[in-house]
Amino acid sequence: MRVQGLLGILVLLALILLPSFLPIYFVLLFTEILIMGLFALSFNLLFGYTGLLSFGHAAFFGLGGYAAAFLIRDWGASMALAMLAGVIVAGAAAVLIGYLSVRLDEIYFAMLTLGFGMMFFTLVHQWREVTGGSDGITGFGSPTLKLFGLTLSLGHPVHYYYFALAVVVGSSYLLWRITRSPFGLLLLSLRENPERAAFLGVDVRRYRWFAFVIAGIFAGLAGSLFSPFDRMASPTMLHWTKSAEPVLMSILGGANLFLGPMVGAAIFFFLEHIITKFTTSWMIFLGAILVLLVIFFPEGILGTVVRRGHGKG
Amino acid sequence: MMETLIITALNGLSLGTLLFLISMGLTTIFGVMGVLNFAHGSLYMLGAYMCLQAMRLFHNFWLGLLVAPLAVGLLGMAIEVQFLRKIYDRHLTLQLLLTFAFLLILDDAVRILWGAGYHTVDPPRLLAGTLRVLGRPYPVYSLFILVLGPAVGLALWAFFYRTKVGMIVRAAAMDREMASSLGVNVPKLFTYVFFFGSWLAGLGGALAAPLRAIGPAMGEKIIIESFIVVVIGGLGSFPGAFIGAMIFGLFDAFGIHFVPRIHMAIPFILLAAVLLWRPRGLFGEEI
């Protein structure tokens, strides 16, 4: 834990200073890493902490993204309002999907969430009149932030970077507190041994449902940060292949550590950045890396580093 | 009207037949080894490309139909021996992820080897052209698939329920440890089962080659479709795979015809409805 905390503070300092010594390209790259990292952290509350593998998590990410895009385009809403809308829409969907999905577990849970996620994908993809179909929603102005009567533009990448950093760090802190709370420990018990938890009088479904909704809310928040950043909300945000990304990131970084998925997101995008310099087919490399990782470092990169840091054990 | 319904049903059943072959491989691998193979759709796609390649080299579809599934089966076998075998004792998620890694690798490899464009394969001369069904032209090749599918299904059934090897496979599916203590070489059996499942995926791909456009996205689509089929039918269940595939095919074909706008969502609605009604699928063991 101490290693992780120290690492966290150092990284945070570096992130704050980053735009002053790195070119704008990296500012954009890190904004994406932060947002997708938050998405992965929200996923890992279900996966790493509750033991539920969701394959439809992108639905909440995408719904948050569309809600924000709608509000900014049609109402000229500020970021705070856009994010609130993203959270509400994603949260409402998570309440419904979660309620039905937590009846199942293991592979069946994964399949059911996949099914629900893809229903939302097809809804967004086919309902052209409202969602723009496969073109998505584009052409909305640069996001603004209204604070104490002031209107700040977040159009500049560096401004948006700092905004995203603040939101992601704040949300990560909240999520971390949740995992350390009695509720979070209860989730761990559901991951380790749901039957035993049930014998002890825990309403397994109810707590899984709560975890699902919280995860959906933070995924929606990440989505509502992503579409103003990308200046676009497209159906691919909801597709199952997007749901696979936080799975990869969690495993890359290490699903048993709180910051594992965030580190995984960073590794993911850096690998993409480096490999696509040489070749267009980076998926084949990602696949190869994944094979090595699964076989030799199943605890993920951060997991392995932290374990080494603690000595053997 | 009646003719339209029957033609639509034929289309649905021919899609269902293909899905059945692919899902049989998926469900056998899951039933025996407990691995949900994400790369199965990519193996199917590889079967189609191998068939295309054989056609280019030998100009003979039947040779392609023979060689392609064999090549895909051997590749699956190599994946099992070299990689999958090392992580049987680990968590299910890691196995899922390993096969997902092979999905990424195979999909990109196909793009590198054959390009990102679409290809077509002509059906063999014997099965080219159309036949009149209820006064309407219907491709002979689709009818061939319709006949071949159940024939393969019957052969599989006979293999699993009428031969000793089939019995051993079913025994291992039921209780791995018990089979092992009775003298079954389970690791070897797993390798054969993975070969067999991959072979079926390749066979499905080779058979689909003249029916569908061959492109790098075809694996990603079919893997979700066959997941839905096996989950609807009940993971690990052979009759489940058949019924699931036919239901899927029919819903899909009638969906395109009657409700084209929401047709894309139908498989997922079907999946969710079946899982909520029967959490282990139609033929799965109840919990």
Side-chain angles (χ1 to χ4, degrees):
Chain A
M1 200 54 242
R2 221 196 260 146
V3 179
Q4 234 193 126
L6 200 69
L7 219 70
I9 290 167
L10 280 176
V11 168
L12 190 60
L13 266 174
L15 285 174
I16 291 171
L17 295 173
L18 181 135
S20 48
F21 59 85
L22 279 182
I24 212 80
Y25 173 82
F26 284 95
V27 174
L28 291 170
L29 182 67
F30 270 93
T31 313
E32 194 168 11
I33 289 174
L34 285 169
I35 298 173
M36 291 305 284
L38 177 61
F39 179 36
L41 283 181
S42 78
F43 163 80
N44 203 42
L45 182 73
L46 273 181
F47 177 62
Y49 283 88
T50 319
L52 291 172
L53 173 61
S54 166
F55 244 95
H57 207 53
F60 310 114
F61 181 73
L63 286 175
Y66 270 87
F70 270 122
L71 253 71
I72 293 172
R73 189 191 63 181
D74 295 347
W75 294 2
S78 78
M79 269 312 284
L81 202 61
M83 279 161 31
L84 185 69
V87 163
I88 291 174
V89 172
V95 166
L96 183 72
I97 297 179
Y99 178 74
L100 296 169
S101 301
V102 295
R103 291 149 183 261
L104 308 184
D105 55 4
E106 293 169 9
I107 217 81
Y108 300 91
F109 174 83
M111 286 298 138
L112 192 54
T113 46
L114 173 87
F116 282 126
M118 288 303 286
M119 278 185 218
F120 279 98
F121 167 78
T122 37
L123 180 77
V124 168
H125 192 269
Q126 298 295 99
W127 201 7
R128 290 200 70 87
E129 297 83 352
V130 176
T131 61
S134 52
D135 301 331
I137 298 180
T138 49
F140 44 89
S142 64
T144 56
L145 188 64
K146 293 196 178 83
L147 265 184
F148 313 115
L150 286 169
T151 303
L152 305 168
S153 168
L154 294 173
H156 194 278
V158 172
H159 297 169
Y160 201 81
Y161 168 76
Y162 277 119
F163 178 70
L165 181 64
V167 175
V168 170
V169 169
S171 315
S172 305
Y173 179 71
L174 267 177
L175 270 169
W176 184 74
R177 285 304 293 266
I178 291 171
T179 61
R180 299 285 142 184
S181 68
F183 169 73
L185 297 178
L186 211 140
L187 294 186
L188 280 182
S189 80
L190 297 187
R191 180 193 74 185
E192 288 305 317
N193 198 335
E195 287 85 10
R196 193 158 181 178
F199 285 145
L200 292 171
V202 177
D203 189 340
V204 174
R205 271 189 197 173
R206 173 187 294 243
Y207 283 98
R208 280 182 172 162
W209 185 30
F210 289 167
F212 195 94
V213 173
I214 295 170
I217 283 173
F218 280 98
L221 184 68
S224 68
L225 273 176
F226 190 80
S227 61
F229 163 70
D230 209 30
R231 299 289 165 87
M232 178 177 187
S234 72
T236 50
M237 283 180 85
L238 292 92
H239 197 253
W240 73 267
T241 44
K242 188 58 95 182
S243 295
E245 283 180 18
V247 187
L248 293 186
M249 290 167 185
S250 299
I251 301 280
L252 270 174
N256 287 329
L257 286 170
F258 179 76
L259 282 178
M262 185 64 84
V263 173
I267 298 170
F268 184 87
F269 283 108
F270 264 97
L271 281 175
E272 187 184 24
H273 163 74
I274 295 166
I275 292 169
T276 45
K277 269 188 180 169
F278 303 105
T279 163
T280 50
S281 42
W282 98 276
M283 283 296 170
I284 203 165
F285 287 91
L286 180 66
I289 291 163
L290 206 58
V291 169
L292 294 176
L293 210 70
V294 165
I295 292 179
F296 296 110
F297 305 102
E299 325 153 73
I301 303 287
L302 185 64
T304 307
V305 169
V306 168
R307 187 169 54 83
R308 295 270 159 87
H310 279 299
K312 280 173 199 155
Chain B
M1 189 61 198
M2 201 57 208
E3 290 88 355
T4 313
L5 285 182
I6 291 173
I7 295 284
T8 310
L10 281 180
N11 287 336
L13 292 174
S14 113
L15 170 68
T17 307
L18 268 182
L19 274 175
F20 165 61
L21 290 178
I22 302 151
S23 307
M24 263 310 279
L26 195 63
T27 211
T28 307
I29 289 174
F30 182 85
V32 177
M33 307 165 59
V35 174
L36 196 58
N37 183 13
F38 242 113
H40 203 71
S42 307
L43 293 171
Y44 154 85
M45 172 174 70
L46 207 60
Y49 274 100
M50 290 284 185
C51 186
L52 170 79
Q53 198 59 33
M55 284 285 277
R56 282 181 181 170
L57 294 175
F58 314 113
H59 307 283
N60 187 329
F61 175 78
W62 302 105
L63 201 63
L65 197 58
L66 191 75
V67 173
L70 217 58
V72 175
L74 288 174
L75 180 73
M77 201 165 158
I79 291 176
E80 198 277 335
V81 172
Q82 291 301 325
F83 302 99
L84 206 52
R85 176 176 289 184
K86 297 189 171 42
I87 58 162
Y88 282 136
D89 51 340
R90 307 254 186 87
H91 198 262
L92 197 93
T93 323
L94 285 180
Q95 298 169 7
L96 200 69
L97 218 68
L98 185 73
T99 60
F100 185 74
F102 278 102
L103 176 151
L104 296 175
I105 293 173
L106 290 175
D107 284 14
D108 241 11
V110 158
R111 216 165 284 146
I112 293 168
L113 290 172
W114 284 283
Y118 281 85
H119 306 273
T120 51
V121 164
D122 291 327
R125 201 175 306 147
L126 187 65
L127 302 170
T130 56
L131 219 74
R132 294 198 86 76
V133 175
L134 301 167
R136 294 196 197 179
Y138 198 78
V140 180
Y141 191 79
S142 293
L143 294 171
F144 163 69
I145 293 284
L146 272 174
V147 179
L148 189 77
V152 174
L154 212 63
L156 289 176
W157 178 85
F159 170 72
F160 280 116
Y161 289 88
R162 289 288 178 270
T163 69
K164 199 177 164 201
V165 183
M167 197 173 75
I168 291 172
V169 174
R170 282 189 300 129
M174 227 172 254
D175 193 329
R176 203 181 295 175
E177 274 171 37
M178 182 54 88
S180 176
S181 30
L182 288 174
V184 175
N185 187 342
V186 172
K188 210 171 192 172
L189 181 77
F190 277 17
T191 307
Y192 290 148
V193 164
F194 212 82
F195 168 82
F196 174 71
S198 307
W199 181 82
L200 274 175
L203 180 69
L207 282 171
L211 216 54
R212 294 182 165 188
I214 304 170
M218 69 193 289
E220 205 176 90
K221 185 166 185 291
I222 202 102
I223 188 60
I224 297 297
E225 290 177 348
S226 41
F227 273 170
I228 293 175
V229 165
V230 295
V231 170
I232 288 176
L235 274 165
S237 158
F238 304 137
F242 183 76
I243 301 293
M246 293 308 153
I247 292 177
F248 186 108
L250 288 174
F251 267 82
D252 192 73
F254 281 98
I256 294 174
H257 198 82
F258 290 107
V259 277
R261 287 215 50 181
I262 62 155
H263 133 258
M264 262 172 78
I266 288 176
F268 303 107
I269 296 172
L270 194 66
L271 171 72
V274 170
L275 274 181
L276 290 174
W277 171 48
R278 286 180 68 97
R280 289 292 180 264
L282 296 175
F283 287 78
E285 278 172 43
E286 279 305 299
I287 28 171

